[in-house]
């Protein structure tokens, strides 16, 4: 059993309503989390989902309305930010503009009462860690965005915090730099072994770096799990939709056997998918979610080809194909009888042979392995 | 912010256009004068520069009505202020009110114009005592306006005894105010040292300054002409002030709280005068105005309102001066007191010495 | 910090092609240059010259330019005004000015902080207006209200209250002390401190506080190490804006100080208006200027250190520009200044560390202390704000109450009456006016005419010069910058007497050589008022221009607008808020001015402040209170109305 660094128990954060008639707004609604020591933990969600508020409660900038937060097993309710063993890398870095880079990094150490000489030495070490020792005497505004970001990181890390909180630290950087920094951050976290709690709205960032991800929406945690869990086995339509691209197919559960279900579409086609909820009664209205890359296109040879059990094959009409380098993205219509729904299919361009090229307007089949499709609760 | 600014501005501008309306004065009903204005001045303007609360409230409106002219009255800080401003060039005054001692200085510097007695038949009303004084032996430049004494106004309760001597003023354990009147105050110092209050000896003047600083440790304020306000408001126990100002506060409070004394060692008598400054834009009307002031009824109305002594013998002879002033023992002191009053003479040669002495007094007194 | 200046500094200094192209922009600076040269710099130089002359008989000046005469007169005049008596008063003035500045800072910083941290923006605006509103009543009247409050016996309202409450047994001696002067001056100048600090705090990014706390600084450290240094430009601006008028104070010291509280302004005034000795007065003014210059020089050194802050807030500009004028000097020894300030920082760090080590050992104790700070800080902030509001409003309330007094007194209550209002009203609609009412109404007219004229002219001139400074380069731009801002750093009384002397000499010359009789009046008043308004309007307008993105203008040109159309359709609308704010400032300054008006007024052109002052000294009647009451009611209504209007339009949007 790994040690738990940060634990949130039924944490609620309410903000007073703007007008009298509005009740208090719950920014964070009954959130419980356990973040393990040395873990890279991401809070992922759209803006306004409560992820930053959650982070600020851990840091101590916001009080909890209900519930409790424990850091290293200690209740931190009422402990001001400057007495918590956590440090933050702010979204816009919040580097002190009137201090030099070195002074910025030394600041936290001086607050601890570290002597000037020691503070200076450690600050320079921290600057070396982020590969910017030569900027020590500059003012923050003389640095580029990426450099400022590293200084902010150095400033927080030099305190050797139990937990490092990062509030969308890469948000202001351009794509290429962001990618590089993602990698670097992960490296650094592995090297230092510090617990990182990382807030982001960028699912790719979360998937790339995090050991575990908590997906939040409307103040609630919808799902916690490893990137693979979250991606492959989303519990809710929101999670499936938010992370990556997903096709949703509406239908009615017409048959089930264990975790396998048969869903009848309005067009009459029947498709197979995995059931998460074993108690779901036959006849329920359900949504089937399936990732575009799990779908395959097959040429229609006029007749309905036979297929193995545990797989699904439905006839469609290809509307459009777009070549995007690594993949080709196809949009197909299915359900001939007027009730048209669209599916997106991605096929990898590992080879471009005759049998894999399709033309618009062509009748095709979409094929998938049932294990890759999931029946979701709405 | 923009809206506010625009609003504020428009209101101010509207007020600026609408607010100032020249008042049309009406003739006062009581004590109407029989004085008539000579022809030919209608529509002209006269500018008068004098002390605040030193003219009757109807004096000017009545004159405006009688002559159909506009009178502008502006307020001076004191004789020295009037002198310096005249030196800078007459700003446009036709009549000024000045005290005896400054007259010679102004004459010497060509700041005054001779009076035209052809236009002043009422000159005959002035009592002989007030004609031909040393500061203007022929009354070439000045006509007496009011007279008074400079003495000790005091709060009877706070002082606790009747004041008869300057020593009581020096020794009083409580706040005292002096007037911004260099020659008068230095005169008191000189007199206490046994010198002539109008001495020309610079050493004596310096000695008087030292004397005053030494005896002025209880002075909290040297004020231009508002000692009576401090006295009435309780901020000082003793105010060395002009007799009329003290009479005014005694009248206002209708009480016995305040006394006025002319100490036995001697005190100052002053005569304030009407004069016409050089370059007066309307000297003729100025002479007519002076004649108007010398009318027995007009002069009496002024004295009855501001509580100073009237040099207008006709007013006294016609019994136009209120009894209360004649008998209050302040406005018209008895013969014995009058004996030891001195006047300040002009001393242009020693002006610098007096200025320097006063400079030092204002800095060091009451520290 | 000024973007336009800063960015122009990156360009090469001399670009002749560019210079030619843009040179015509320099002409826009001409009116301001000529105006300030004629009605500010030249008069000042004349006063400087007079301080080297001999006093003539009867207060005249003997002009003798021979070196030996200059030398001996210099000795006489300057020795006199820098020894014993005068020096005593100089020291006292400095002392009072510093004390006033310090108190303004102690009260004003937390107040500004309080106001700018109100979450609700309406509450914030309202709290700010509560600070500004008292200042729309006449300065003299407000000071007079303190006379009523601070009276020495139990007629003094403060003493009366304290005696009634049993807090004191004997009436306090307040009136006619340096304390009274300091109270009156803190009262008078507090908003000059609050406004720039408010602007600085409002622009402060509170994320930085979180960062400081996150790094382990408690609330106090976060304030002291982060908020305070970053709002320091506001503090410096405020301190300068308080210190300069404070050291040259005349009215407050005259009305509340008595003999013990007399300041240098009174000595200068006496030498020009009382006994009359120009040479001595001139020398005193020059020494006063030198004292102010030294103080500003120190400020400039401090400002140099803080100049590198990234904020381009408008308020910061005023500190910057004043220090810029004196900064030419400071720049020469800036390296020394830099070293000194670095040493100071190191020292303060060391002290901090030492203290930290001595009682930073017990974490439990530390936690308790930090929580105590966290709890008490808001309470103290509130307490200070409440105290300040009482302090600011009590005189106004006293003033309002006594405007209904049924007696000819502004200090003793004798029952309710609307007599004074009806008196004013009667006078106003021309039925019957006595002398006092007449004088008051006339003076209001004068004040409004002069105020409106000075506002219009100074705004136009200042806008022109600001545009030219921001958008063109021409020879003499730097010296002009100094000239433009120097008046802000010169005590008002020095400006007043220099204009007096200047107009005098001009009039004398005109009479002697041209045979024209010139007299002081509206013209001299307006000329003088414009010259002291120009710098203030220019500061505000230039700040606006500096914050304006030049791309808008480039875009307009790109779309085919010529220079004039660019100005009319783009530049002017964008700078308008700054122009209006500057104009409003000019109008307020003009209305409130006493000393310059006193020295430049002519026949029957006394402004309201001048008349009210001479009345306040002698025969104050509640009529004055009634006028101020009406002024404050009108301004309150206007502010209220505009707040409602703004609220509506905001609500719709």
């Amino acid at each position: 059993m790994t040690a738990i660094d940060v634990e949130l128990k039924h944490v609620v954060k309410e903000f007073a309503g703007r007008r009298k008639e509005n009740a208090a707004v719950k920014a964070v609604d009954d959130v419980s989390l356990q973040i393990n020591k040395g873990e890279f933990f991401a809070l992922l969600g759209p803006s306004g989902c409560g992820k930053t508020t959650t982070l600020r409660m851990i840091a101590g900038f916001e009080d909890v309305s209900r519930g409790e937060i424990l850091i290293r097993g200690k209740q931190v309710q009422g402990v001001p930010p400057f007495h918590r063993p956590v440090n933050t890398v702010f979204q816009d870095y919040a580097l002190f503009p009137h201090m030099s880079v070195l002074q910025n990094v030394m600041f936290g150490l001086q607050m601890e009462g570290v002597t000037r000489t020691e503070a200076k030495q450690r600050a320079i070490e921290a600057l070396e860690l982020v590969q910017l020792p030569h900027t020590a005497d500059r003012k923050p505004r003389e640095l580029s965005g990426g450099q400022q970001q590293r200084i902010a990181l150095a400033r927080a890390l030099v305190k050797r915090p139990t937990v490092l909180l990062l509030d969308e630290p890469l948000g202001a950087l351009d794509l290429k730099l962001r990618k590089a920094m993602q990698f670097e951050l992960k490296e650094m976290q592995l090297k230092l072994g510090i617990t990182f709690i990382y807030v982001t709205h960028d699912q790719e960032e979360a998937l790339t770096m995090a050991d575990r991800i908590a997906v939040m929406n409307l103040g609630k945690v919808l799902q916690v799990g490893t990137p693979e869990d979250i991606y492959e086995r989303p519990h809710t339509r929101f999670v499936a939709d938010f992370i990556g691209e997903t096709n949703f197919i509406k239908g009615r559960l017409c048959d089930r056997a264990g975790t396998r279900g048969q869903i009848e579409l309005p067009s009459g086609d029947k498709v197979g998918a995995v059931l998460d909820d074993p108690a779901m009664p036959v006849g329920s209205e359900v949504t089937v979610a399936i990732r575009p890359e799990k779908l395959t296109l097959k040429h229609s040879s006029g007749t309905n080809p036979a297929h193995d059990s545990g797989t699904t094959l439905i006839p469609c009409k290809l509307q459009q194909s777009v070549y995007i380098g690594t993949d080709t993205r196809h949009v197909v219509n299915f359900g001939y009888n007027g009730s048209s729904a669209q599916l997106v299919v991605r096929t990898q361009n590992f080879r471009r042979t005759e049998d894999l090229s399709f033309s618009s307007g062509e009748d095709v089949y979409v094929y998938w392995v049932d294990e890759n499709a999931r029946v979701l609760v709405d | 912010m923009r809206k506010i600014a625009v609003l504020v501005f428009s209101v101010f501008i509207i007020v600026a256009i609408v607010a100032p309306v020249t008042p049309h004065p009406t003739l006062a009903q009581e004590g109407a004068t029989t004085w008539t204005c000579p022809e030919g001045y209608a529509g002209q303007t006269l500018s008068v520069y004098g002390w605040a609360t030193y003219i009757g409230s109807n004096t000017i409106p009545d004159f405006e009505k009688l002559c159909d002219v506009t009178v502008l009255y502006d307020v001076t800080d004191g004789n020295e202020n009037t002198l310096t401003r005249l030196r800078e060039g007459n700003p446009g005054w036709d009549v000024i009110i000045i005290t005896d001692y400054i007259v010679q200085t102004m004459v010497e510097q060509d700041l005054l114009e001779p009076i035209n007695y052809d236009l002043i038949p009422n000159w005959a009303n002035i009592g002989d005592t007030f004609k031909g004084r040393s500061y203007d032996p022929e009354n070439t430049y000045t006509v007496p306006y009011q007279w008074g004494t400079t003495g000790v106004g005091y709060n009877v309760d706070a002082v606790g005894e009747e004041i008869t001597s300057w020593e009581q003023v020096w020794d009083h354990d409580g706040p005292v105010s002096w007037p911004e009147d260099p020659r008068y105050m230095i005169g008191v110092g000189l007199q206490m040292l046994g010198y002539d209050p109008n001495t020309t000896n610079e050493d004596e003047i310096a000695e008087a300054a030292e004397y005053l600083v030494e005896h002025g440790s209880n002075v909290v304020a040297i004020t231009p002409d508002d000692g009576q306000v401090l006295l009435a408001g309780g901020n000082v126990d003793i105010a060395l002030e002009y007799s009329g100002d003290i009479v005014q506060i005694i009248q206002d409070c209708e009480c016995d709280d305040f006394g006025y004394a002319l100490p036995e060692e001697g005190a100052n008598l002053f005569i304030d005068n009407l004069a016409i400054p050089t370059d007066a834009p309307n000297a003729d009307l100025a002479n007519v105005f002076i004649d108007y002031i010398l009318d027995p009824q007009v002069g009496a109305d002024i004295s009855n309102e501001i509580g100073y002594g009237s040099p207008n013998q006709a007013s006294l002879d016609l019994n136009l001066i209120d009894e209360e002033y004649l008998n209050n023992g302040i406005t018209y002191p008895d013969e014995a007191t009058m004996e030891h009053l001195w006047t300040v003479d002009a001393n242009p040669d020693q002006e610098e010495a007096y200025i320097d002495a006063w400079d030092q007094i204002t800095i060091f007194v009451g520290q | 910090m000024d973007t336009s200046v800063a960015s122009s500094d990156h360009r090469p200094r001399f670009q002749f092609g560019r210079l030619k192209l843009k040179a015509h922009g320099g002409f826009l600076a001409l009116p301001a240059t000529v105006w300030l040269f004629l009605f500010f710099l030249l008069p000042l130089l004349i006063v400087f010259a007079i301080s080297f002359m001999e006093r003539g008989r009867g207060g005249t000046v003997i002009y003798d330019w021979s070196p030996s005469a200059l030398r001996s007169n210099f000795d006489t005049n300057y020795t006199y005004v820098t020894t014993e008596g005068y020096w005593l008063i100089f020291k006292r003035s400095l002392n009072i000015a510093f004390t006033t500045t310090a108190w303004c800072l102690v009260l004003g910083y937390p107040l500004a902080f309080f106001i700018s941290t109100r979450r609700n923006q309406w509450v914030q605006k309202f709290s700010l207006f509560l600070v500004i509103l008292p200042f729309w009543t006449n300065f003299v009247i407000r000071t007079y209200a303190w006379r009523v409050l601070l009276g020495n016996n139990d007629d003094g309202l403060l003493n009366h209250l304290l005696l009634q409450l049993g807090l004191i047994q004997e009436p306090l001696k307040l009136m006619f002390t340096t304390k009274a002067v300091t109270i009156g001056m803190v009262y008078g100048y507090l908003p000059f401190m609050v406004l720039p600090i408010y602007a600085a705090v409002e622009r402060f990014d509170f994320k930085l506080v979180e960062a400081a706390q996150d790094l382990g600084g408690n609330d106090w450290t976060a304030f002291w190490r982060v908020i305070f240094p970053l709002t320091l430009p506001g503090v410096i601006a405020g301190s300068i804006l308080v210190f300069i008028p404070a050291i040259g104070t005349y009215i407050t010291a005259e009305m509340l100080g008595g003999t013990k509280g007399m300041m240098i302004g009174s000595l200068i005034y006496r030498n020009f208006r009382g006994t009359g000795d120009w040479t001595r007065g001139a020398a005193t003014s020059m020494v006063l200027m030198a004292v102010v210059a030294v103080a500003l020089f120190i400020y400039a050194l401090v400002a140099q250190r803080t100049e590198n802050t990234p904020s381009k807030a408008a308020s910061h500009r005023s500190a910057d520009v004043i220090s810029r004028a004196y900064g030419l000097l400071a720049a020469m020894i800036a390296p020394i200044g830099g070293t000194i300030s670095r040493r100071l920082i190191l020292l303060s760090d060391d002290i901090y560390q030492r203290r930290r080590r001595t009682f930073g050992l017990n974490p439990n104790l530390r936690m308790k202390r930090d929580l105590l700070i966290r709890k008490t800080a808001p309470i103290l902030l509130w307490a200070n704000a409440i105290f300040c509001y009482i302090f600011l409003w009590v005189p106004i309330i006293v003033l309002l109450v006594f405007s209904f007094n049924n007696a000819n007194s502004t200090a003793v209550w004798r029952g309710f009456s609307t007599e004074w209002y009806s008196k004013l009203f009667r006078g106003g609609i021309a039925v019957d006016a006595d002398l006092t009412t007449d004088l008051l109404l006339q003076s209001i007219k004068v004040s409004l005419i002069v105020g409106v004229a000075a506002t219009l002219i100074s705004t136009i001139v200042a806008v022109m010069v600001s545009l030219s400074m921001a958008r063109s380069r021409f020879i003499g731009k730097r010296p002009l910058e100094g000239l433009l801002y120097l008046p802000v750093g010169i005590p008002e009384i020095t400006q007043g007497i220099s204009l007096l002397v200047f107009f005098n000499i001009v009039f004398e010359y005109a009479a002697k050589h041209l045979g024209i009789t010139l007299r002081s009046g509206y013209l001299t008043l307006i000329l003088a008022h414009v010259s002291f308004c120009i710098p203030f309007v220019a500061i505000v307008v230039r700040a606006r221009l500096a914050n304006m993105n030049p791309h808008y203008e480039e875009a307009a040109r790109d779309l085919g607008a010529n220079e004039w159309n660019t100005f009319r359709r783009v530049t002017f609308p964008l700078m308008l808020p700054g122009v209006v704010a500057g104009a409003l400032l000019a109008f307020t300054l003009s209305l409130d001015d006493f000393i310059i008006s006193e020295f430049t007024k002519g026949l029957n052109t006394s402004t309201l402040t001048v008349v009210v002052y001479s009345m306040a000294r002698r025969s104050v009647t509640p009529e004055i209170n009634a006028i101020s009451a009406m002024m404050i009611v009108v301004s309150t209504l206007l502010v209220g109305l505009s707040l409602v209007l703004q609220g509506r339009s905001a609500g719709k949007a």
Side-chain angles (χ1 to χ4, degrees), chain B residues 25-359:
Chain B
T26 47
L27 202 59
Q29 294 302 310
E30 317 160 58
T33 173
T34 54
W35 185 82
T36 51
C37 188
E39 297 281 308
Y41 294 102
Q44 298 187 3
T45 303
L46 182 79
S47 174
V48 183
Y49 193 61
W51 275 272
T53 67
Y54 206 49
I55 195 159
S57 46
N58 281 321
T59 313
I60 283 173
D62 284 355
F63 181 72
E64 287 180 319
K65 188 81 183 167
L66 286 165
C67 288
D68 192 18
V69 294
T70 309
V71 178
L72 310 170
Y73 188 92
D74 206 355
V75 179
T76 177
D77 260 3
N79 288 304
E80 283 75 15
N81 174 291
T82 311
L83 175 66
T84 46
R85 289 197 63 189
L86 275 180
R87 253 182 218 147
E88 293 157 12
N90 180 358
W93 302 322
D94 299 304
V95 178
I96 55 172
I97 303 176
I98 48 173
T99 306
D100 43 27
Y101 71 92
I102 208 88
V103 173
Q104 264 185 36
T105 311
M106 289 189 178
V107 170
E108 195 190 56
Q109 295 183 28
D110 288 331
L111 299 175
L112 298 182
E113 265 182 21
I115 303 285
N116 180 358
Y117 283 98
D118 294 343
L119 294 170
I120 311 183
N122 277 331
W123 169 245
N125 293 342
I126 296 293
D128 288 339
T129 342
F130 298 98
K131 288 179 177 169
R133 304 285 300 204
S134 61
Y135 59 83
D136 190 10
E138 305 292 326
N139 281 98
T140 318
Y141 300 99
T142 60
V143 172
Y145 173 64
Q146 299 281 298
W147 66 273
T149 56
T150 318
V152 184
Y154 60 101
N155 184 318
V156 177
D157 283 347
V159 174
E161 56 183 356
E162 196 187 338
I163 287 189
T164 55
S165 163
W166 284 107
E167 300 292 348
Q168 286 167 284
V169 177
W170 308 151
D171 296 341
H172 176 65
D173 184 20
V176 173
S177 77
W178 288 0
E180 175 93 49
D181 194 337
R183 289 296 309 275
Y184 163 64
M185 282 314 301
I186 297 170
V188 170
L190 287 164
Q191 156 206 288
M192 293 301 287
L193 291 165
Y195 302 128
D196 175 6
N198 289 306
T199 187
T200 53
N201 182 326
E202 290 180 10
D203 294 338
E204 290 176 6
I205 295 170
E207 208 181 317
E210 271 171 44
Y211 176 88
L212 287 172
V213 169
E214 196 182 316
H215 291 88
S217 55
N218 52 7
V219 174
V220 295
I222 294 180
T223 73
D225 202 15
D226 65 340
Q228 78 278 11
V229 177
L230 298 180
L231 182 62
N235 279 314
V236 296
D237 299 337
I238 296 177
L240 307 189
E241 258 299 341
Y242 309 118
S243 50
D245 286 347
I246 303 298
V247 170
Q248 283 172 23
I249 64 163
I250 292 174
Q251 282 179 339
D252 278 352
C253 84
E254 293 163 2
C255 61
D256 301 325
D257 292 357
F258 305 109
Y260 181 77
L262 295 169
E264 59 202 8
E265 294 93 338
N268 163 256
L269 175 129
F270 63 84
I271 302 168
D272 285 339
N273 301 272
L274 299 162
I276 302 172
T278 311
D279 292 333
N282 200 344
D284 282 354
L285 187 56
N287 281 299
V288 172
F289 180 74
I290 293 173
D291 184 58
Y292 165 77
I293 297 289
L294 296 192
D295 177 76
Q297 184 64 54
V298 174
D301 283 349
I302 296 171
S303 301
N304 285 338
E305 188 168 338
I306 65 176
Y308 282 92
S310 173
N312 196 320
Q313 197 58 42
S315 305
L316 290 162
D317 294 346
L318 293 168
N319 287 325
L320 295 172
I321 303 289
D322 287 352
E323 282 287 309
E324 56 168 314
Y325 293 111
L326 296 172
N327 301 329
N328 68 5
I330 300 175
T331 317
Y332 299 93
D334 55 45
E335 288 293 318
T337 315
M338 287 294 271
E339 291 279 298
H340 58 250
L341 296 182
W342 42 267
T343 51
V344 176
D345 297 338
N347 244 335
D349 288 341
Q350 267 63 47
E351 198 194 0
E352 275 82 41
Y354 279 111
I355 288 174
D356 287 353
W358 187 244
D359 219 24

Side-chain angles (χ1 to χ4, degrees), chain C residues 28-37 461-462 464-465 480 483-484 534:
Chain C
L28 286 176
L30 209 59
T33 315
V34 171
W35 200 293
L36 289 175
F37 179 77
V461 171
M464 286 167 71
V465 75
L480 175 60
L483 179 64
L484 193 55
I534 288 175

Side-chain angles (χ1 to χ4, degrees), chain C residues 3-18:
Chain C
T3 20
S4 65
V5 171
S7 60
S8 68
D9 282 349
H10 295 304
R11 290 184 220 138
R13 273 286 152 81
F14 295 106
Q15 271 190 357
F16 287 104
R18 218 186 147 72

Side-chain angles (χ1 to χ4, degrees), chain C residues 167-185:
Chain C
L167 290 173
I168 51 170
Q169 307 305 319
E170 285 278 294
L172 297 172
K173 295 256 174 283
L174 290 169
M175 190 63 185
F176 298 135
T177 60
T178 50
K179 264 184 243 127
V181 181
T182 311
I183 291 172
M185 276 166 54

